Amino acid sequence: MNRMQKQDASSRNEVRPGRPRSVATQEAILAASLRLTERVGYAQLTIEGIAAEAGVGKQTVYRWWPSKAALVLEAFSQDARAVVKVRVTGNLEIDLEKFLIAAYRRLAGPRGVVFRSLLSEALINADFAQQFYDEYLQSRVDDLKTVLSGSAEEAEARDVPVEVVEMIYGALWYRMATNQRLTPAAAREVAAAAVRLLSN
């Protein structure tokens, strides 16, 4: 984990004033926020609904998260780290394919609804846009750079042009914006194109 990821993790784990979080209760609330967002949509999502889904009082939710956007963002970011793994084996194309296939599959399913909701909120809320970048997008960029660099150790990592990172995620988000299917084949095509760029 690099310094930026450690800082992000620290900020995510920082709790608001009050009693310490119960891990089991926290996980129940985070999971409930994703389920409800997928089921009813972000616009209809409420803290009260999340609390009922998780089987806790709404004040418990309000004590730990200032808004539904912050809650859903934490849940979504945590899910991304658990599902889209970083692997560096020395074979760049295979490592990148696996990383992107996992990312495409995740956003092809119900989690894609959550991503679109958070992105829409970021486009109309400048404060949340910064939080969305800090807590989700930056960590996704850092993980991709680790895969592309070929090493988790900075001293051994190859330089990764920002244009390659933008091309990879731009292709993913463009497919989402234009309602194209997020298939493993599409992920492989992007991985192959990125490897060619890095080889030039």
Side-chain angles (χ1 to χ4, degrees):
M1 178 181 288
N2 62 31
R3 183 167 57 86
M4 178 66 74
Q5 288 173 310
K6 289 178 180 178
Q7 290 173 344
D8 287 345
S10 177
S11 66
R12 281 191 296 269
N13 294 331
E14 185 178 309
V15 299
R16 305 176 73 204
R19 289 178 296 177
R21 291 187 185 186
S22 157
V23 173
T25 301
Q26 175 186 354
E27 294 302 321
I29 294 169
L30 291 168
S33 73
L34 290 178
R35 287 197 305 272
L36 272 186
T37 303
E38 294 165 359
R39 188 189 310 159
V40 306
Y42 184 79
Q44 302 301 318
L45 187 70
T46 64
I47 293 293
E48 290 78 6
I50 295 170
E53 177 79 8
V56 302
K58 65 180 181 181
Q59 290 306 317
T60 298
V61 182
Y62 280 119
R63 185 182 306 121
W64 293 336
W65 291 277
S67 66
K68 70 176 184 180
L71 169 52
V72 176
L73 177 59
E74 181 173 335
F76 187 71
S77 300
Q78 177 177 289
D79 180 77
R81 293 190 298 275
V83 174
V84 185
K85 302 289 189 179
V86 174
R87 296 178 177 86
V88 180
T89 67
N91 188 318
L92 174 59
E93 187 159 3
I94 290 178
D95 291 343
L96 184 56
E97 277 188 5
K98 289 182 176 179
F99 181 84
L100 291 182
I101 287 171
Y104 273 54
R105 282 178 172 160
R106 177 173 178 265
L107 294 180
R111 293 296 188 263
V113 174
V114 182
F115 176 78
R116 289 183 177 91
S117 298
L118 292 171
L119 181 58
S120 296
E121 182 70 15
L123 291 173
I124 62 174
N125 183 331
D127 290 338
F128 180 71
Q130 186 62 52
Q131 187 179 5
F132 184 57
Y133 177 82
D134 291 341
E135 296 187 18
Y136 178 71
L137 294 182
Q138 184 62 63
S139 66
R140 295 292 80 208
V141 168
D142 288 344
D143 283 352
L144 176 57
K145 283 182 175 180
T146 297
V147 175
L148 292 172
S149 72
S151 174
E153 300 298 327
E154 291 186 10
E156 301 175 7
R158 71 170 65 88
D159 289 334
V160 178
V162 66
E163 293 82 6
V164 177
V165 174
E166 291 174 345
M167 181 275 287
I168 291 171
Y169 278 136
L172 170 56
W173 298 333
Y174 177 78
R175 293 186 76 88
M176 293 188 72
T178 54
N179 292 316
Q180 298 183 59
R181 294 180 62 199
L182 301 179
T183 63
R188 291 188 185 96
E189 289 175 3
V190 172
V195 170
R196 286 195 298 271
L197 285 173
L198 289 171
S199 299
N200 291 335

